[in-house]
Amino acid sequence: MVVDDLVLLDPNEERREAVGGLSERILRARGWKGTFSTTADRDAALEGADFVVVQLRIGGQAARHVDETLPVGYGCLGQETTGVGGLAKALRTVPTVLELAEETAKRANPGAWFVDFTNPVGIVTQALIDDGHRAVGLCNVAIWAQRRLGHYLGVDPDTVDIEHVGLNHLTWIRSARIAGSTQERLPELFDRFGPELELESGVPLDVLRLQEALPSYYVHYYYQHDAEVAQQSVPGHRSRADVVAELETKLLAEYRDPTLVTKPPALSYRGGAFYSLAAVRLMASLHAGTGDIQVVDMRNDGAIPGLPEDAVVETRAMVDAEGAHALPQRPLPPEMLGLIQHAKAYEQLAVRAARSGSRNGVVRALLANPLVGQYPLAAELADALLAANRHHLPRFFPGS
């Protein structure tokens, strides 16, 4: 795939200048001859696009700080993509992303793809696909895990075939094999690198062996919820939002260095490793219709037994010019299936609440959330998160 025209859209002038400047220097240093520009004009950015890649954060790190701290006062997990914080972010985000997708359908080239990186990816992609948009969701969890396993096995990570299955930020790797071989490598990995995998997943090695699977890091928020909340409740605990805000200030300063033509080392601490590689591969496959296998977020269409056809899932897919087609998966054991059924019901209610602006819809979503699920706690949290996000929720507070 050849990119002729690249436009970066950002309403913040400081970010546009710093990120745009570094981006263009990196591209030119690598010999790219295309047209590059930055803009705050959404309509101009979307005009004639073939791909629209979206990563945004309504309310910035300040809103994320609330997502990560407000729930802790109620004895719940503080996290920006799951639990109460994830719902708050979805309420802020879904309407904006849907508006962008609607404008994309009007202004982009026919057949343009809308690629969503914006968290919570599963909920946002569900909203996009429910509305009939030509959209695919993408997360870096699968490609990061594949590269870690390749490192441990001492092989090219691209030769590691993983059976990655579940919902966004609620997934397990149930198999790892080297391409061309039928030998299952997970037991060997648990034996040789158990402490490392336990640390990276946040889940005890006993559970990895019990389930014969490697969960994503986000699963530990479900399996060890109380321990995580206790840690977040310790006086002086710093939220990830605070850490990232400081890092972003440092990175923006580095980006302005006119001699910098590579990604600065500090960027590796920002999170999102291998996102760019995953995005480029996905867009290349959608453009060329190669039919290769990637892990993305798309309609289930029967791939994971026990979930609705129209549920957005995150698993292996065949990617061609018509989109991502989920590949059939082995039936999940009850403890995995039950949890993702529970979480998917919450995600669908979260989409409804974000679209409707209904306070009762928020309460229902929190009641269905596996990390909340109690009353009157759900009602108290609904009122607290709506009040804290009032300025970012026009559907809930018209005219405010």
Side-chain angles (χ1 to χ4, degrees):
M1 181 178 72
V2 177
V3 177
D4 299 312
D5 186 21
L6 179 62
V7 181
L8 298 186
L9 169 67
D10 195 315
N12 183 284
E13 183 178 3
E14 180 185 17
R15 285 197 305 263
R16 279 201 315 275
E17 292 180 355
V19 177
L22 175 60
S23 299
E24 184 168 19
R25 291 195 301 274
I26 290 174
L27 290 168
R28 301 306 182 197
R30 296 189 177 193
W32 185 65
K33 304 298 183 182
T35 302
F36 179 90
S37 61
T38 65
T39 183
D41 185 336
R42 181 195 65 186
D43 295 346
L46 297 175
E47 198 70 42
D50 292 311
F51 289 93
V52 175
V53 182
V54 179
Q55 211 299 323
L56 53 83
R57 184 182 297 279
I58 305 298
Q61 296 299 334
R64 178 178 179 173
H65 174 82
V66 175
D67 295 343
E68 294 177 345
T69 57
L70 182 150
V72 180
Y74 292 83
C76 292
L77 174 76
Q79 216 279 327
E80 67 154 343
T81 62
T82 59
V84 182
L87 177 59
K89 187 171 188 183
L91 299 180
R92 298 192 303 267
T93 305
V94 165
T96 298
V97 174
L98 288 179
E99 184 179 329
L100 278 170
E102 289 160 8
E103 286 302 314
T104 296
K106 296 175 186 176
R107 299 179 180 278
N109 285 335
W113 283 101
F114 196 92
V115 180
D116 178 61
F117 277 91
T118 299
N119 280 320
V121 168
I123 295 174
V124 173
T125 306
Q126 185 75 61
L128 288 163
I129 291 179
D130 285 351
D131 270 16
H133 292 292
R134 195 170 163 87
V136 181
L138 191 60
C139 182
N140 73 321
V141 166
I143 193 170
W144 182 88
Q146 180 197 43
R147 267 142 177 73
R148 292 302 296 160
L149 296 186
H151 166 74
Y152 290 134
L153 292 171
V155 300
D156 179 350
D158 287 327
T159 67
V160 180
D161 290 333
I162 58 172
E163 181 186 335
H164 176 105
V165 61
L167 308 179
N168 178 245
H169 287 188
L170 185 55
T171 53
W172 294 262
I173 292 175
R174 302 180 66 201
S175 175
R177 294 183 172 91
I178 306 303
S181 171
T182 60
Q183 181 184 1
E184 175 57 60
R185 305 300 290 271
L186 279 183
E188 173 192 348
L189 286 161
F190 294 160
D191 288 341
R192 295 175 57 196
F193 304 102
E196 291 88 346
L197 295 173
E198 181 177 84
L199 178 64
E200 291 173 358
S201 69
V203 175
L205 180 58
D206 287 347
V207 178
L208 275 55
R209 295 188 189 279
L210 176 71
Q211 295 190 325
E212 299 178 340
L214 178 63
S216 76
Y217 179 78
Y218 294 88
V219 173
H220 97 276
Y221 292 129
Y222 296 85
Y223 288 174
Q224 298 184 292
H225 173 271
D226 292 355
E228 185 68 25
V229 172
Q231 182 177 337
Q232 294 181 353
S233 302
V234 172
H237 174 79
R238 295 191 71 203
S239 71
R240 175 67 178 162
D242 292 340
V243 174
V244 170
E246 288 183 5
L247 180 58
E248 287 184 350
T249 299
K250 176 183 178 182
L251 284 169
L252 285 175
E254 291 188 32
Y255 291 169
R256 295 187 186 93
D257 179 357
T259 66
L260 184 65
V261 294
T262 58
K263 293 192 297 185
L267 186 59
S268 63
Y269 299 106
R270 174 61 182 82
F274 306 112
Y275 252 136
S276 55
L277 178 60
V280 168
R281 288 182 173 180
L282 174 59
M283 289 187 287
S285 297
L286 290 169
H287 175 75
T290 51
D292 56 329
I293 309 302
Q294 300 181 34
V295 174
V296 297
D297 287 75
M298 81 250 105
R299 274 179 59 105
N300 182 38
D301 287 331
I304 301 179
L307 289 179
E309 296 281 311
D310 63 351
V312 165
V313 298
E314 183 173 295
T315 191
R316 288 159 52 89
M318 187 274 287
V319 183
D320 60 19
E322 298 304 313
H325 313 278
L327 297 176
Q329 301 298 307
R330 292 182 290 152
L332 291 168
E335 73 273 14
M336 293 182 188
L337 179 60
L339 182 52
I340 65 173
Q341 286 174 327
H342 194 170
K344 176 46 66 176
Y346 149 70
E347 290 187 352
Q348 291 170 323
L349 287 168
V351 171
R352 293 183 198 175
R355 293 170 60 91
S356 69
S358 163
R359 182 262 185 187
N360 284 344
V362 176
V363 176
R364 292 181 67 194
L366 288 169
L367 277 174
N369 191 305
L371 298 174
V372 182
Q374 300 179 62
Y375 196 88
L377 177 62
E380 294 169 358
L381 281 166
D383 291 336
L385 72 85
L386 289 174
N389 288 275
R390 183 184 184 95
H391 298 302
H392 303 301
L393 299 176
R395 295 194 182 193
F396 290 87
F397 303 101
S400 64

